[in-house]
């Protein structure tokens, strides 16, 4: 049996380490608290642009050779400074898009009373699938495909994929062998955070998490924070559909 040919850089392909950083976009300008989902026209806020710049600075000295983003504006705008910092063209992968949701376009979030509205009950029958949106397993399939493609584009180096909170969290939960249904308030996937997958060859061997823009994130949007209600919520972004 013939031996495997080494990579041109002299490293066996099965032993090459590749890192794919999956970045959640920065804060979005959404003063009405709409669950914007896949709707076009939602851009980063001024604070969100600062978050994007912070992530770019954080990754500036990393060995990034490929940058790709969801087609939605907020993801493209978060990825742009990262790509520019490495003199790379920004690619787009539709598989990184936000999860579909039947409540898209509505004000629907934790603590707003939506669960008490009879018209919504028919969509809340199965939290395990879930019945109100794109099945979790479908999110796993497309997100795994997207990061595997990014890995192939950056073998032996590092790639950045900019996506959205729910599909990133579902991807991580699958890789770490946790159940996919969960409490949305407890997702460890803050705005402008990095969930980093390290591959050895084609196999994911570790998952890391970091928040380079944590000091810029409003306290009520950090993982595990209680929802903001009443007067305290006035003027604060709810980041729905993020």
């Amino acid at each position: 049996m013939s031996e495997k040919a080494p990579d041109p850089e002299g490293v066996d392909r099965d032993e090459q380490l590749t890192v794919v950083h999956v970045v959640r976009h920065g804060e979005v300008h959404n003063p009405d608290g709409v669950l914007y989902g896949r709707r076009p026209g939602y851009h980063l806020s001024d604070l969100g642009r600062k978050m994007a710049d912070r992530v770019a600075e954080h990754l500036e000295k990393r060995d990034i050779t490929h940058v790709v983003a969801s087609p939605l504006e907020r993801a493209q705008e978060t990825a742009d400074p990262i790509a520019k910092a490495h003199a790379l063209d920004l690619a787009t992968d539709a598989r990184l898009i936000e999860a579909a949701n039947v409540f898209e376009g509505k004000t629907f979030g934790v603590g707003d009373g939506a669960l008490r509205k009879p018209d919504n009950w028919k969509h809340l029958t199965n939290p395990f699938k879930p019945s109100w949106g794109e099945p979790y397993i479908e999110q796993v399939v497309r997100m795994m495909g997207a990061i595997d493609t990014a890995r192939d584009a950056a073998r032996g180096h590092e790639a950045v994929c900019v996506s959205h909170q729910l599909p990133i969290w579902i991807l991580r939960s699958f890789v770490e062998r946790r159940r996919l249904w969960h409490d949305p308030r407890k997702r460890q996937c803050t705005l402008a955070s990095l969930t980093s997958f390290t591959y050895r060859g084609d196999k994911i061997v570790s998952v890391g998490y970091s928040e380079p823009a944590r000091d810029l994130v409003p306290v009520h949007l950090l993982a595990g924070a209680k929802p903001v209600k009443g007067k305290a919520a006035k003027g604060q972004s709810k980041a729905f559909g993020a």
Side-chain angles (χ1 to χ4, degrees), residues 179-207:
R179 68 189 187 200
L180 301 184
W181 59 274
H182 60 282
D183 182 343
R185 297 168 298 182
K186 296 181 180 180
R187 295 172 188 157
Q188 189 183 39
C189 190
T190 282
L191 290 165
S193 62
L194 280 70
T195 302
S196 302
F197 300 87
T198 299
Y199 288 81
R200 184 181 298 279
D202 292 343
K203 183 180 180 180
I204 296 174
V205 294
S206 68
V207 180

Side-chain angles (χ1 to χ4, degrees), residues 36-112:
Y36 38 81
R38 295 180 173 182
R39 291 191 164 203
Y42 285 87
H43 298 266
L44 293 183
S45 64
D46 289 342
L47 179 60
R49 292 182 183 280
K50 291 180 181 178
M51 292 177 182
D53 289 340
R54 176 70 65 80
V55 174
E57 292 171 7
H58 176 75
L59 294 172
E60 188 174 10
K61 295 184 179 179
R62 304 288 300 202
D63 185 22
I64 308 293
T65 62
H66 181 67
V67 181
V68 60
S70 153
L72 296 173
E73 293 98 333
R74 57 194 184 271
Q76 294 277 317
E77 291 164 359
T78 300
D80 186 60
I82 301 171
K84 287 180 177 176
H86 295 274
L88 296 170
D89 291 332
L90 174 58
T92 299
D93 190 330
R95 292 174 295 183
L96 295 170
I97 201 168
E98 175 63 287
N101 192 307
V102 297
F103 297 110
E104 186 176 298
K106 298 180 180 180
T107 301
F108 182 88
V110 177
D112 72 350

Side-chain angles (χ1 to χ4, degrees), residues 10 14 34 42 55 59 70 76 82 88 110 128 132 134 138 144 146 185 187 209 211 218 232 234 236 241:
D14 290 343
V34 173
Y42 285 87
V55 174
L59 294 172
S70 153
Q76 294 277 317
I82 301 171
L88 296 170
V110 177
F128 307 106
W132 56 83
E134 181 183 9
E138 291 183 11
M144 283 299 304
R185 297 168 298 182
R187 295 172 188 157
Y209 178 77
E211 298 176 352
K234 188 176 182 180
Q236 296 195 44

Side-chain angles (χ1 to χ4, degrees), residues 13 15 46 50 67 79 81-82 104 126 169-170 221 228 231:
R13 180 186 174 95
E15 294 300 314
D46 289 342
K50 291 180 181 178
V67 181
I82 301 171
E104 186 176 298
N126 185 355
W169 181 247
I170 292 302
L221 294 180
V228 179
K231 293 181 180 179

